[in-house]
Amino acid sequence: MAAVEYEQWQDGPPAPPPEQMEEITPEYVNLLMAPTEHFLCELEHNIYNIQFVNFKIRCLDAGQERVLFDLGAGDLPSPPPPDIGENACRFIRYHFGPEFLGIQTIGTTLEFTNGEHEVHDFRMIERHYFRDQLITSYDFTM
């Protein structure tokens, strides 16, 4: 079971570019007000072999409940950009169309696996942007 803490972001000074940071910290990630050009964590730093295996997005509006996208059920995301290289395994792109913006309540299910070692206090920061503007941010601890 995941504990989800919703944090409201505040306007403030912009975060410096990642290449200027000695270390990428959760506090730094929570300052980002736009998507970064590159992933902030190299693949070889995934020492627990955490793998993303399923992702489901649902409309939870009363009377209109439905699954919009289910990777585990075989829905295929749009292919990643050709220049993404070895990071293709960490990239998901999907398109729902303009009617998606009319949905009031969205539910998501994420499923991960890990390698041979237990993972304690796993933290994932999820930030959603639209046209380079932060629209919502979540900080998960599992």
mmCIF file of all heavy atoms in Angstrom, residues 59-97:
data_model
loop_
_atom_site.group_PDB
_atom_site.id
_atom_site.type_symbol
_atom_site.label_atom_id
_atom_site.label_comp_id
_atom_site.label_asym_id
_atom_site.label_seq_id
_atom_site.Cartn_x
_atom_site.Cartn_y
_atom_site.Cartn_z
ATOM 1 N N CYS A 59 -10.905 6.907 -15.614
ATOM 2 C CA CYS A 59 -11.819 8.019 -15.359
ATOM 3 C C CYS A 59 -12.677 7.587 -14.174
ATOM 4 O O CYS A 59 -13.272 6.511 -14.197
ATOM 5 C CB CYS A 59 -12.697 8.293 -16.579
ATOM 6 S SG CYS A 59 -14.042 9.461 -16.236
ATOM 7 N N LEU A 60 -12.732 8.413 -13.142
ATOM 8 C CA LEU A 60 -13.519 8.091 -11.951
ATOM 9 C C LEU A 60 -14.727 9.001 -11.785
ATOM 10 O O LEU A 60 -15.374 9.000 -10.736
ATOM 11 C CB LEU A 60 -12.633 8.164 -10.694
ATOM 12 C CG LEU A 60 -11.441 7.209 -10.676
ATOM 13 C CD1 LEU A 60 -10.610 7.414 -9.415
ATOM 14 C CD2 LEU A 60 -11.894 5.770 -10.794
ATOM 15 N N ASP A 61 -15.062 9.770 -12.813
ATOM 16 C CA ASP A 61 -16.242 10.631 -12.753
ATOM 17 C C ASP A 61 -17.492 9.773 -12.560
ATOM 18 O O ASP A 61 -17.655 8.752 -13.232
ATOM 19 C CB ASP A 61 -16.382 11.459 -14.030
ATOM 20 C CG ASP A 61 -15.312 12.538 -14.158
ATOM 21 O OD1 ASP A 61 -14.548 12.731 -13.187
ATOM 22 O OD2 ASP A 61 -15.241 13.169 -15.229
ATOM 23 N N ALA A 62 -18.370 10.190 -11.654
ATOM 24 C CA ALA A 62 -19.595 9.440 -11.348
ATOM 25 C C ALA A 62 -20.401 9.180 -12.612
ATOM 26 O O ALA A 62 -20.676 10.087 -13.397
ATOM 27 C CB ALA A 62 -20.447 10.201 -10.336
ATOM 28 N N GLY A 63 -20.742 7.909 -12.823
ATOM 29 C CA GLY A 63 -21.532 7.501 -13.977
ATOM 30 C C GLY A 63 -20.735 7.350 -15.259
ATOM 31 O O GLY A 63 -21.279 6.911 -16.268
ATOM 32 N N GLN A 64 -19.455 7.710 -15.232
ATOM 33 C CA GLN A 64 -18.629 7.603 -16.428
ATOM 34 C C GLN A 64 -17.339 6.826 -16.161
ATOM 35 O O GLN A 64 -16.360 6.966 -16.901
ATOM 36 C CB GLN A 64 -18.295 8.992 -16.962
ATOM 37 C CG GLN A 64 -19.523 9.755 -17.349
ATOM 38 C CD GLN A 64 -19.182 10.968 -18.201
ATOM 39 O OE1 GLN A 64 -18.055 11.190 -18.591
ATOM 40 N NE2 GLN A 64 -20.191 11.740 -18.515
ATOM 41 N N GLU A 65 -17.334 6.023 -15.106
ATOM 42 C CA GLU A 65 -16.139 5.275 -14.749
ATOM 43 C C GLU A 65 -15.728 4.373 -15.902
ATOM 44 O O GLU A 65 -16.555 3.669 -16.471
ATOM 45 C CB GLU A 65 -16.372 4.428 -13.493
ATOM 46 C CG GLU A 65 -16.674 5.231 -12.243
ATOM 47 C CD GLU A 65 -18.161 5.503 -12.060
ATOM 48 O OE1 GLU A 65 -18.951 5.271 -12.991
ATOM 49 O OE2 GLU A 65 -18.539 5.963 -10.968
ATOM 50 N N ARG A 66 -14.452 4.422 -16.250
ATOM 51 C CA ARG A 66 -13.936 3.569 -17.318
ATOM 52 C C ARG A 66 -12.409 3.602 -17.294
ATOM 53 O O ARG A 66 -11.797 4.532 -16.783
ATOM 54 C CB ARG A 66 -14.451 4.018 -18.674
ATOM 55 C CG ARG A 66 -13.972 5.388 -19.115
ATOM 56 C CD ARG A 66 -14.718 5.876 -20.364
ATOM 57 N NE ARG A 66 -14.251 7.160 -20.819
ATOM 58 C CZ ARG A 66 -14.575 8.346 -20.295
ATOM 59 N NH1 ARG A 66 -15.364 8.398 -19.248
ATOM 60 N NH2 ARG A 66 -14.120 9.478 -20.811
ATOM 61 N N VAL A 67 -11.819 2.562 -17.878
ATOM 62 C CA VAL A 67 -10.369 2.507 -18.028
ATOM 63 C C VAL A 67 -10.006 3.260 -19.303
ATOM 64 O O VAL A 67 -10.581 3.022 -20.365
ATOM 65 C CB VAL A 67 -9.882 1.037 -18.103
ATOM 66 C CG1 VAL A 67 -8.391 0.976 -18.432
ATOM 67 C CG2 VAL A 67 -10.175 0.322 -16.792
ATOM 68 N N LEU A 68 -9.070 4.178 -19.176
ATOM 69 C CA LEU A 68 -8.630 4.968 -20.323
ATOM 70 C C LEU A 68 -7.398 4.363 -20.983
ATOM 71 O O LEU A 68 -7.217 4.462 -22.186
ATOM 72 C CB LEU A 68 -8.313 6.397 -19.883
ATOM 73 C CG LEU A 68 -9.464 7.154 -19.228
ATOM 74 C CD1 LEU A 68 -8.963 8.437 -18.588
ATOM 75 C CD2 LEU A 68 -10.544 7.440 -20.254
ATOM 76 N N PHE A 69 -6.547 3.748 -20.161
ATOM 77 C CA PHE A 69 -5.301 3.167 -20.656
ATOM 78 C C PHE A 69 -4.860 2.116 -19.662
ATOM 79 O O PHE A 69 -4.864 2.357 -18.466
ATOM 80 C CB PHE A 69 -4.232 4.263 -20.774
ATOM 81 C CG PHE A 69 -2.887 3.779 -21.236
ATOM 82 C CD1 PHE A 69 -2.625 3.630 -22.585
ATOM 83 C CD2 PHE A 69 -1.898 3.476 -20.323
ATOM 84 C CE1 PHE A 69 -1.387 3.186 -23.018
ATOM 85 C CE2 PHE A 69 -0.667 3.029 -20.743
ATOM 86 C CZ PHE A 69 -0.417 2.889 -22.088
ATOM 87 N N ASP A 70 -4.483 0.924 -20.144
ATOM 88 C CA ASP A 70 -4.021 -0.141 -19.264
ATOM 89 C C ASP A 70 -2.877 -0.875 -19.939
ATOM 90 O O ASP A 70 -3.088 -1.718 -20.812
ATOM 91 C CB ASP A 70 -5.159 -1.096 -18.936
ATOM 92 C CG ASP A 70 -4.791 -2.112 -17.860
ATOM 93 O OD1 ASP A 70 -3.589 -2.232 -17.510
ATOM 94 O OD2 ASP A 70 -5.703 -2.777 -17.353
ATOM 95 N N LEU A 71 -1.659 -0.540 -19.539
ATOM 96 C CA LEU A 71 -0.481 -1.158 -20.128
ATOM 97 C C LEU A 71 -0.475 -2.663 -19.878
ATOM 98 O O LEU A 71 -0.132 -3.441 -20.756
ATOM 99 C CB LEU A 71 0.782 -0.512 -19.542
ATOM 100 C CG LEU A 71 2.093 -0.890 -20.170
ATOM 101 C CD1 LEU A 71 2.156 -0.460 -21.622
ATOM 102 C CD2 LEU A 71 3.239 -0.260 -19.390
ATOM 103 N N GLY A 72 -0.923 -3.095 -18.693
ATOM 104 C CA GLY A 72 -0.940 -4.512 -18.356
ATOM 105 C C GLY A 72 -1.953 -5.312 -19.156
ATOM 106 O O GLY A 72 -1.831 -6.521 -19.299
ATOM 107 N N ALA A 73 -2.972 -4.648 -19.696
ATOM 108 C CA ALA A 73 -3.992 -5.334 -20.495
ATOM 109 C C ALA A 73 -3.634 -5.330 -21.979
ATOM 110 O O ALA A 73 -4.414 -5.779 -22.803
ATOM 111 C CB ALA A 73 -5.353 -4.673 -20.288
ATOM 112 N N GLY A 74 -2.461 -4.811 -22.308
ATOM 113 C CA GLY A 74 -2.026 -4.846 -23.693
ATOM 114 C C GLY A 74 -2.155 -3.544 -24.451
ATOM 115 O O GLY A 74 -1.776 -3.478 -25.616
ATOM 116 N N ASP A 75 -2.687 -2.489 -23.819
ATOM 117 C CA ASP A 75 -2.711 -1.200 -24.503
ATOM 118 C C ASP A 75 -1.272 -0.781 -24.788
ATOM 119 O O ASP A 75 -0.391 -0.906 -23.933
ATOM 120 C CB ASP A 75 -3.373 -0.125 -23.628
ATOM 121 C CG ASP A 75 -4.870 -0.338 -23.479
ATOM 122 O OD1 ASP A 75 -5.432 -1.205 -24.174
ATOM 123 O OD2 ASP A 75 -5.472 0.380 -22.661
ATOM 124 N N LEU A 76 -1.034 -0.306 -25.968
ATOM 125 C CA LEU A 76 0.320 0.083 -26.352
ATOM 126 C C LEU A 76 0.458 1.593 -26.373
ATOM 127 O O LEU A 76 -0.326 2.285 -27.008
ATOM 128 C CB LEU A 76 0.674 -0.481 -27.727
ATOM 129 C CG LEU A 76 0.711 -2.005 -27.814
ATOM 130 C CD1 LEU A 76 0.985 -2.444 -29.248
ATOM 131 C CD2 LEU A 76 1.760 -2.565 -26.873
ATOM 132 N N PRO A 77 1.478 2.109 -25.669
ATOM 133 C CA PRO A 77 1.715 3.543 -25.728
ATOM 134 C C PRO A 77 2.318 3.915 -27.073
ATOM 135 O O PRO A 77 2.768 3.055 -27.826
ATOM 136 C CB PRO A 77 2.713 3.783 -24.589
ATOM 137 C CG PRO A 77 3.419 2.478 -24.436
ATOM 138 C CD PRO A 77 2.415 1.410 -24.811
ATOM 139 N N SER A 78 2.324 5.206 -27.358
ATOM 140 C CA SER A 78 3.003 5.678 -28.562
ATOM 141 C C SER A 78 4.487 5.367 -28.440
ATOM 142 O O SER A 78 5.032 5.358 -27.336
ATOM 143 C CB SER A 78 2.814 7.187 -28.718
ATOM 144 O OG SER A 78 1.450 7.510 -28.802
ATOM 145 N N PRO A 79 5.171 5.096 -29.550
ATOM 146 C CA PRO A 79 6.596 4.774 -29.453
ATOM 147 C C PRO A 79 7.401 5.961 -28.941
ATOM 148 O O PRO A 79 7.034 7.115 -29.178
ATOM 149 C CB PRO A 79 6.982 4.418 -30.884
ATOM 150 C CG PRO A 79 5.901 4.949 -31.741
ATOM 151 C CD PRO A 79 4.676 5.079 -30.901
ATOM 152 N N PRO A 80 8.493 5.676 -28.236
ATOM 153 C CA PRO A 80 9.333 6.771 -27.746
ATOM 154 C C PRO A 80 10.056 7.443 -28.913
ATOM 155 O O PRO A 80 10.169 6.869 -30.000
ATOM 156 C CB PRO A 80 10.321 6.069 -26.814
ATOM 157 C CG PRO A 80 10.345 4.659 -27.255
ATOM 158 C CD PRO A 80 8.993 4.371 -27.837
ATOM 159 N N PRO A 81 10.562 8.644 -28.677
ATOM 160 C CA PRO A 81 11.329 9.313 -29.730
ATOM 161 C C PRO A 81 12.535 8.462 -30.124
ATOM 162 O O PRO A 81 13.122 7.787 -29.278
ATOM 163 C CB PRO A 81 11.776 10.618 -29.081
ATOM 164 C CG PRO A 81 10.975 10.765 -27.836
ATOM 165 C CD PRO A 81 10.472 9.416 -27.461
ATOM 166 N N PRO A 82 12.935 8.488 -31.385
ATOM 167 C CA PRO A 82 14.038 7.626 -31.830
ATOM 168 C C PRO A 82 15.372 7.938 -31.167
ATOM 169 O O PRO A 82 16.206 7.052 -31.022
ATOM 170 C CB PRO A 82 14.102 7.866 -33.338
ATOM 171 C CG PRO A 82 13.285 9.070 -33.603
ATOM 172 C CD PRO A 82 12.361 9.268 -32.454
ATOM 173 N N ASP A 83 15.577 9.152 -30.726
ATOM 174 C CA ASP A 83 16.869 9.524 -30.143
ATOM 175 C C ASP A 83 16.979 9.230 -28.648
ATOM 176 O O ASP A 83 17.957 9.589 -28.014
ATOM 177 C CB ASP A 83 17.149 11.006 -30.395
ATOM 178 C CG ASP A 83 16.101 11.918 -29.759
ATOM 179 O OD1 ASP A 83 15.020 11.423 -29.394
ATOM 180 O OD2 ASP A 83 16.376 13.126 -29.649
ATOM 181 N N ILE A 84 16.011 8.527 -28.071
ATOM 182 C CA ILE A 84 16.024 8.287 -26.625
ATOM 183 C C ILE A 84 16.968 7.143 -26.243
ATOM 184 O O ILE A 84 17.390 7.030 -25.110
ATOM 185 C CB ILE A 84 14.600 8.089 -26.080
ATOM 186 C CG1 ILE A 84 14.586 8.345 -24.579
ATOM 187 C CG2 ILE A 84 14.076 6.705 -26.397
ATOM 188 C CD1 ILE A 84 13.249 8.622 -24.009
ATOM 189 N N GLY A 85 17.294 6.262 -27.183
ATOM 190 C CA GLY A 85 18.298 5.219 -26.958
ATOM 191 C C GLY A 85 17.946 4.250 -25.861
ATOM 192 O O GLY A 85 16.821 3.752 -25.772
ATOM 193 N N GLU A 86 18.928 3.998 -24.975
ATOM 194 C CA GLU A 86 18.767 2.994 -23.915
ATOM 195 C C GLU A 86 17.678 3.356 -22.912
ATOM 196 O O GLU A 86 17.228 2.516 -22.143
ATOM 197 C CB GLU A 86 20.092 2.775 -23.182
ATOM 198 C CG GLU A 86 20.535 3.954 -22.353
ATOM 199 C CD GLU A 86 21.836 3.723 -21.598
ATOM 200 O OE1 GLU A 86 22.503 2.716 -21.837
ATOM 201 O OE2 GLU A 86 22.158 4.561 -20.749
ATOM 202 N N ASN A 87 17.239 4.596 -22.892
ATOM 203 C CA ASN A 87 16.191 5.021 -21.966
ATOM 204 C C ASN A 87 14.787 4.690 -22.451
ATOM 205 O O ASN A 87 13.809 5.026 -21.784
ATOM 206 C CB ASN A 87 16.313 6.526 -21.683
ATOM 207 C CG ASN A 87 17.477 6.823 -20.777
ATOM 208 O OD1 ASN A 87 17.609 6.233 -19.714
ATOM 209 N ND2 ASN A 87 18.339 7.725 -21.215
ATOM 210 N N ALA A 88 14.657 4.039 -23.596
ATOM 211 C CA ALA A 88 13.326 3.690 -24.124
ATOM 212 C C ALA A 88 12.531 2.848 -23.122
ATOM 213 O O ALA A 88 11.311 2.957 -23.059
ATOM 214 C CB ALA A 88 13.460 2.955 -25.455
ATOM 215 N N CYS A 89 13.217 2.047 -22.307
ATOM 216 C CA CYS A 89 12.529 1.213 -21.320
ATOM 217 C C CYS A 89 11.908 2.031 -20.189
ATOM 218 O O CYS A 89 11.095 1.518 -19.437
ATOM 219 C CB CYS A 89 13.485 0.166 -20.750
ATOM 220 S SG CYS A 89 14.870 0.870 -19.826
ATOM 221 N N ARG A 90 12.247 3.311 -20.065
ATOM 222 C CA ARG A 90 11.706 4.148 -19.002
ATOM 223 C C ARG A 90 10.780 5.235 -19.535
ATOM 224 O O ARG A 90 10.457 6.162 -18.831
ATOM 225 C CB ARG A 90 12.805 4.854 -18.209
ATOM 226 C CG ARG A 90 14.106 4.215 -18.216
ATOM 227 C CD ARG A 90 15.090 4.740 -17.248
ATOM 228 N NE ARG A 90 15.646 6.049 -17.446
ATOM 229 C CZ ARG A 90 16.501 6.589 -16.587
ATOM 230 N NH1 ARG A 90 16.856 5.935 -15.512
ATOM 231 N NH2 ARG A 90 16.984 7.776 -16.795
ATOM 232 N N PHE A 91 10.367 5.108 -20.741
ATOM 233 C CA PHE A 91 9.616 6.176 -21.391
ATOM 234 C C PHE A 91 8.228 5.692 -21.779
ATOM 235 O O PHE A 91 8.085 4.643 -22.389
ATOM 236 C CB PHE A 91 10.366 6.619 -22.654
ATOM 237 C CG PHE A 91 9.786 7.827 -23.315
ATOM 238 C CD1 PHE A 91 10.248 9.087 -22.991
ATOM 239 C CD2 PHE A 91 8.791 7.707 -24.258
ATOM 240 C CE1 PHE A 91 9.723 10.213 -23.603
ATOM 241 C CE2 PHE A 91 8.255 8.817 -24.871
ATOM 242 C CZ PHE A 91 8.722 10.073 -24.550
ATOM 243 N N ILE A 92 7.196 6.460 -21.405
ATOM 244 C CA ILE A 92 5.829 6.153 -21.832
ATOM 245 C C ILE A 92 5.222 7.451 -22.346
ATOM 246 O O ILE A 92 5.278 8.487 -21.681
ATOM 247 C CB ILE A 92 4.966 5.603 -20.688
ATOM 248 C CG1 ILE A 92 5.449 4.240 -20.279
ATOM 249 C CG2 ILE A 92 3.510 5.538 -21.105
ATOM 250 C CD1 ILE A 92 4.615 3.602 -19.205
ATOM 251 N N ARG A 93 4.644 7.368 -23.519
ATOM 252 C CA ARG A 93 3.923 8.510 -24.090
ATOM 253 C C ARG A 93 2.563 8.001 -24.527
ATOM 254 O O ARG A 93 2.456 6.966 -25.163
ATOM 255 C CB ARG A 93 4.673 9.067 -25.294
ATOM 256 C CG ARG A 93 3.943 10.233 -25.926
ATOM 257 C CD ARG A 93 4.544 10.649 -27.247
ATOM 258 N NE ARG A 93 5.940 10.931 -27.129
ATOM 259 C CZ ARG A 93 6.725 11.239 -28.150
ATOM 260 N NH1 ARG A 93 6.236 11.304 -29.360
ATOM 261 N NH2 ARG A 93 7.985 11.472 -27.973
ATOM 262 N N TYR A 94 1.526 8.722 -24.192
ATOM 263 C CA TYR A 94 0.186 8.345 -24.611
ATOM 264 C C TYR A 94 -0.569 9.613 -24.947
ATOM 265 O O TYR A 94 -0.233 10.706 -24.497
ATOM 266 C CB TYR A 94 -0.543 7.524 -23.544
ATOM 267 C CG TYR A 94 -0.242 7.935 -22.129
ATOM 268 C CD1 TYR A 94 -0.891 9.009 -21.546
ATOM 269 C CD2 TYR A 94 0.704 7.257 -21.376
ATOM 270 C CE1 TYR A 94 -0.613 9.396 -20.256
ATOM 271 C CE2 TYR A 94 0.994 7.641 -20.079
ATOM 272 C CZ TYR A 94 0.333 8.707 -19.527
ATOM 273 O OH TYR A 94 0.610 9.100 -18.259
ATOM 274 N N HIS A 95 -1.603 9.463 -25.736
ATOM 275 C CA HIS A 95 -2.421 10.600 -26.151
ATOM 276 C C HIS A 95 -3.885 10.238 -25.929
ATOM 277 O O HIS A 95 -4.351 9.217 -26.412
ATOM 278 C CB HIS A 95 -2.179 10.928 -27.627
ATOM 279 C CG HIS A 95 -3.029 12.048 -28.115
ATOM 280 N ND1 HIS A 95 -2.791 13.357 -27.770
ATOM 281 C CD2 HIS A 95 -4.137 12.062 -28.882
ATOM 282 C CE1 HIS A 95 -3.715 14.121 -28.327
ATOM 283 N NE2 HIS A 95 -4.544 13.359 -29.000
ATOM 284 N N PHE A 96 -4.602 11.071 -25.198
ATOM 285 C CA PHE A 96 -6.004 10.809 -24.893
ATOM 286 C C PHE A 96 -6.963 11.693 -25.673
ATOM 287 O O PHE A 96 -8.147 11.459 -25.655
ATOM 288 C CB PHE A 96 -6.278 10.990 -23.394
ATOM 289 C CG PHE A 96 -5.506 10.047 -22.537
ATOM 290 C CD1 PHE A 96 -4.534 10.512 -21.681
ATOM 291 C CD2 PHE A 96 -5.748 8.688 -22.585
ATOM 292 C CE1 PHE A 96 -3.823 9.645 -20.887
ATOM 293 C CE2 PHE A 96 -5.039 7.811 -21.794
ATOM 294 C CZ PHE A 96 -4.072 8.299 -20.949
ATOM 295 N N GLY A 97 -6.479 12.724 -26.296
ATOM 296 C CA GLY A 97 -7.356 13.633 -27.022
ATOM 297 C C GLY A 97 -7.865 14.727 -26.112
ATOM 298 O O GLY A 97 -7.752 14.663 -24.884
#
